[in-house]
């Protein structure tokens, strides 16, 4: 259970509420909106100061594939904040292969996130599987257009996960995931599934909700719950 947070308070709340993986992003800035570097560093420091050793990832922001220099520069500054993984959105189309090659040569543990609003590019993901990344992930950009399951078929997702597993990296999924999607997630059994909307008071830009977070954590971890808010 990966939970996306944007502040020290949210990070501590998510860690204590059942999250297995803390992801740092700013939902007001897009699907992979980046937080200020100072905020990323402060969150990492606070988690470690409280004895929380959960893995932490951070996004670099929504940067286009034709801005390779900007992407690599942002990877450097985010990686230097002490996160365990740096997440970089990968859009299908010209430039994506070159970006993947450059990220693989980075000094930081990068997790490419394939933006799949229009499906997955099997050639692109197959290439990424050869580059030694610690993890690969699929997500959506337009959270208002539906969930990952509206954008990508179960067959495509199974193929992606099988491809990644065969290569060795972790495999993750995200994209406006809700409680109703848990059975589908359990069927796919990714290494991790990312949530924000499902554990907020209202939409993904609002505050985290204690009841929703606890209920989702219990459901994903196989614990008994009386009711889970949708």
């Amino acid at each position: 259970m990966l939970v996306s947070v944007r502040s020290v308070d949210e990070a501590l709340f998510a860690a204590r509420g059942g999250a297995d993986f803390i992801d740092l992003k700013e939902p007001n800035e897009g699907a992979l909106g980046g937080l200020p570097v100072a905020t990323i560093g402060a969150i990492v420091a606070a988690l470690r100061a409280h004895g929380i050793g959960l893995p932490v990832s951070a996004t670099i922001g929504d940067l286009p594939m034709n801005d390779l220099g900007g992407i690599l520069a942002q990877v450097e500054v985010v990686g230097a904040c002490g996160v365990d993984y740096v997440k970089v959105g990968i859009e299908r189309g010209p430039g994506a292969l070159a970006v993947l090659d450059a990220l693989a040569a980075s000094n930081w543990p990068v997790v490419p996130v394939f933006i799949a609003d229009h499906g997955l590019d099997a050639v692109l993901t197959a290439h990424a599987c050869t580059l030694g990344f610690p993890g690969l992930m699929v997500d959506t950009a337009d959270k208002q257009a539906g969930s990952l399951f509206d954008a990508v078929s179960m067959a495509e997702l199974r193929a992606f996960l099988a491809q990644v597993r065969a290569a060795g990296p972790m495999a993750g999924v995200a994209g406006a995931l809700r409680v109703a999607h848990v059975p589908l997630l359990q069927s796919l059994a990714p290494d991790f599934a990312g949530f924000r909307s499902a554990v907020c008071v209202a939409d993904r830009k609002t505050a985290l909700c204690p009841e929703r977070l606890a209920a989702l954590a219990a459901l994903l971890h196989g614990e008994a719950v009386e009711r889970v808010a949708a």
Side-chain angles (χ1 to χ4, degrees):
M1 178 179 174
L2 177 150
V3 175
S4 294
V5 304
R6 60 184 171 195
S7 67
V8 168
D9 287 344
E10 282 197 350
L12 294 173
F13 177 77
R16 292 163 175 163
D20 305 297
F21 204 132
I22 304 297
D23 179 52
L24 313 184
K25 70 170 62 168
E26 175 48 73
N28 286 314
E29 298 296 331
L32 293 175
L35 287 167
V37 171
T39 302
I40 296 172
I43 293 173
V44 173
L47 288 168
R48 301 314 182 220
H50 283 81
I52 297 169
L54 296 176
V56 179
S57 63
T59 63
I60 67 165
D62 288 313
L63 298 178
M65 294 295 93
N66 61 6
D67 186 11
L68 180 57
I71 290 171
L72 295 178
Q74 197 62 16
V75 166
E76 287 294 321
V77 296
V78 172
C81 292
V83 297
D84 298 288
Y85 304 102
V86 181
K87 289 170 58 182
V88 179
I90 304 295
E91 298 175 342
R92 60 191 301 172
L97 287 173
V99 170
L100 286 170
D101 288 340
L103 291 174
S106 167
N107 294 321
W108 304 105
V110 173
V111 173
V113 181
F114 296 98
I115 305 303
D117 295 61
H118 305 291
L120 283 166
D121 184 332
V123 173
L124 197 59
T125 56
H127 182 65
C129 285
T130 69
L131 297 177
F133 293 112
L136 299 173
M137 190 173 178
V138 58
D139 199 349
T140 58
D142 186 355
K143 307 301 183 183
Q144 305 303 314
S147 75
L148 173 68
F149 296 103
D150 295 307
V152 186
S153 70
M154 285 292 283
E156 282 183 283
L157 290 171
R158 289 188 193 282
F160 169 77
L161 292 172
Q163 192 176 48
V164 176
R165 288 189 183 111
M170 297 183 296
V173 299
L177 300 178
R178 298 284 189 171
V179 169
H181 300 127
V182 168
L184 295 175
L185 292 169
Q186 290 172 330
S187 173
L188 290 171
D191 292 303
F192 59 92
F195 296 90
R196 173 77 193 182
S197 303
V199 294
C200 285
V201 173
D203 63 33
R204 65 195 299 268
K205 298 179 181 180
T206 60
L208 296 183
C209 171
E211 293 78 16
R212 287 175 178 262
L213 180 63
L216 181 59
L219 185 61
L220 289 172
H221 297 151
E223 301 165 11
V225 291
E226 293 182 1
R227 180 178 180 274
V228 180

